[in-house]
Amino acid sequence: MDQRPLLSVLMCVYNELPQYLEEAIDSILSQTYTHFEFIIIHDNPEEQQLDGMIHKKAATDSRIRYYRNPENIGLTRSLNFGLSKASGEFIARMDADDISLPDRFAEQIAFLQENRDITVVGSWAYIINSDGKNIGKLTRARDPETLNSLLFFESPLFHPSVMMRKRITNKPIVYDSNYKYSQDYELWTRLSDSCRFSNIPRFLICYRYSDDQISSHHLEEQQKIAFSIQVRQLEKYKIFLTDTEKKMFRLLTRKAQNSELFSPVDIKFFLCHLIAGLKMNDKINTGIITRHLIHLYATYLTRHYYLWRAFYELLKFQLSVGKIHPYATASLIKNNKLWHVCSNE
């Protein structure tokens, strides 16, 4: 009888607060689905307090497999080390300061077993603060075609919530060690040619938001890396942007800080050019992408222009691409109090 666990849970530790780490570990050990191994990689060789806590937890639960890196190698390489040690058919990601709700594993395993065409499944998430208080929600689309289309703009999967198959066509999944940040986004774009993604529309984790996270300290660098992935995704479909167009795209997708302001007319022409290029590829659902671009354009106009100018430019853009997006149009009217004059427009 095969005693290997069906699921391997992968968590990396560095310098999280002890109470956050304990809550994270306990939320895994308290799952209603119990046949898993829990791989914990400690990437801070000089830290002692968390090391002692993990050893105590491991002494009371044999499902924990604890490894400590002899030197700091970073998150991406630590994740790949954990993947190399995993024996499960499925891999669940977990961050060391988040909380998995009790039925997370049961629901995600059932989903992957029932949907053999899906490689990676995520979920919605509650946002909690440093005190564990619920302060918001993170939702994502669930349709695989929509998620694949959104890869041009963002990661459509919430990394700490995902569960994925360990092997694709007999090849193991690995993160690209060249990416210090946004390694999940890079992985999804790389897998998108041959894999399908989905999200379970239920809140299965609590994501802790704090200023101590890597993404908070290195936001600008993370944005640059994420944008390089977006450009690579476009170029994969033979869409090559000029330097000016790249600046516009970064501004629309908020992958830049303190960006220069472009006129709504210039951006409108750029978006029409982008949509025309995407329509040349029959593998892309341009309807989904166009709706998203309309929403990004409406958000940009909302931040920078008067109501009359924003509404006029948005309407012209929607008519030019043959798509009227009621939500984006209504959002301009609803949020008109946010507008202000920028530049000499």
Side-chain angles (χ1 to χ4, degrees):
M1 182 177 179
D2 190 356
Q3 297 298 318
R4 290 181 302 173
L6 180 64
L7 172 66
S8 297
V9 185
L10 181 55
M11 183 174 78
C12 296
V13 176
Y14 183 67
N15 64 346
E16 289 74 17
L17 292 177
Q19 62 266 32
Y20 293 169
L21 177 61
E22 185 166 28
E23 289 179 2
I25 293 175
D26 289 346
S27 76
I28 298 300
L29 301 180
S30 302
Q31 290 287 304
T32 57
Y33 179 85
T34 60
H35 188 47
F36 61 81
E37 62 178 358
F38 188 7
I39 299 172
I40 302 176
I41 299 97
H42 197 337
D43 193 36
N44 188 345
E46 297 180 358
E47 195 281 329
Q48 299 299 324
Q49 186 175 7
L50 301 182
D51 176 66
M53 176 193 298
I54 299 169
H55 274 296
K56 289 181 180 179
K57 295 286 185 181
T60 60
D61 198 311
S62 61
R63 292 174 296 179
I64 294 178
R65 296 175 57 193
Y66 179 41
Y67 301 91
R68 187 165 191 178
N69 295 334
E71 61 180 2
N72 174 243
I73 62 174
L75 176 60
T76 308
R77 291 177 61 193
S78 294
L79 288 172
N80 282 336
F81 174 76
L83 288 173
S84 72
K85 297 297 182 180
S87 57
E89 177 183 346
F90 302 129
I91 304 292
R93 274 285 288 117
M94 178 65 185
D95 278 355
D97 55 358
D98 295 338
I99 297 172
S100 286
L101 298 181
D103 292 329
R104 175 193 167 187
F105 293 167
E107 293 200 32
Q108 290 184 312
I109 287 174
F111 182 92
L112 289 173
Q113 290 178 328
E114 293 169 8
N115 298 273
R116 301 287 179 176
D117 62 318
I118 301 297
T119 300
V120 187
V121 62
S123 76
W124 293 356
Y126 290 118
I127 305 173
I128 59 176
N129 62 14
S130 57
D131 297 322
K133 181 180 178 181
N134 189 341
I135 59 173
K137 298 176 180 179
L138 287 171
T139 61
R140 293 287 189 270
R142 62 180 299 184
D143 173 62
E145 191 174 26
T146 299
L147 299 184
N148 192 283
S149 299
L150 291 177
L151 283 168
F152 290 104
F153 312 105
E154 62 188 12
S155 173
L157 296 161
F158 186 51
H159 196 201
S161 77
V162 302
M163 183 179 292
M164 54 190 173
R165 303 183 191 278
K166 183 183 179 182
R167 303 184 71 85
I168 309 297
T169 61
N170 292 323
K171 294 182 179 180
I173 285 180
V174 293
Y175 295 90
D176 189 332
S177 58
N178 292 313
Y179 286 81
K180 184 177 180 180
Y181 307 115
S182 299
Q183 57 279 116
D184 57 320
Y185 189 12
E186 189 283 327
L187 178 61
W188 312 146
T189 57
R190 187 157 33 92
L191 294 177
S192 63
D193 289 337
S194 57
C195 300
R196 286 161 61 83
F197 315 121
S198 187
N199 282 305
I200 297 174
R202 282 174 48 78
F203 296 96
L204 299 181
I205 74 163
C206 295
Y207 168 72
R208 194 181 303 274
Y209 178 81
S210 72
D211 293 333
D212 294 328
Q213 293 159 318
I214 293 177
S215 57
S216 297
H217 288 298
H218 304 280
L219 179 60
E220 187 171 359
E221 185 177 358
Q222 190 177 47
Q223 287 177 334
K224 288 181 180 178
I225 293 174
F227 183 70
S228 72
I229 297 170
Q230 290 177 320
V231 171
R232 188 187 72 175
Q233 185 72 357
L234 287 170
E235 292 179 348
K236 184 168 68 175
Y237 290 93
K238 309 302 180 185
I239 298 172
F240 301 94
L241 305 182
T242 66
D243 290 342
T244 299
E245 288 174 332
K246 288 178 181 179
K247 291 178 181 178
M248 291 183 183
F249 199 54
R250 285 194 73 181
L251 183 62
L252 283 174
T253 57
R254 299 191 180 188
K255 295 297 188 296
Q257 296 179 333
N258 303 320
S259 296
E260 61 186 283
L261 188 68
F262 294 93
S263 78
V265 176
D266 290 339
I267 294 185
K268 181 183 69 176
F269 282 126
F270 158 61
L271 293 179
C272 289
H273 165 68
L274 180 59
I275 291 170
L278 291 169
K279 284 182 177 179
M280 300 294 290
N281 196 304
D282 57 8
K283 294 182 179 180
I284 301 173
N285 188 321
T286 52
I288 295 172
I289 292 175
T290 300
R291 288 194 296 273
H292 193 72
L293 286 172
I294 289 171
H295 177 68
L296 290 176
Y297 190 43
T299 303
Y300 170 77
L301 292 170
T302 297
R303 296 200 307 268
H304 296 296
Y305 292 96
Y306 281 130
L307 173 60
W308 69 269
R309 176 69 183 274
F311 187 85
Y312 176 66
E313 292 298 339
L314 177 65
L315 184 60
K316 285 200 301 182
F317 174 52
Q318 294 190 90
L319 290 173
S320 68
V321 297
K323 298 280 183 182
I324 299 297
H325 195 321
Y327 173 77
T329 306
S331 69
L332 287 176
I333 300 173
K334 181 179 179 181
N335 296 314
N336 67 82
K337 62 181 182 295
L338 300 177
W339 295 344
H340 56 279
V341 178
C342 292
S343 75
N344 295 319
E345 288 292 327

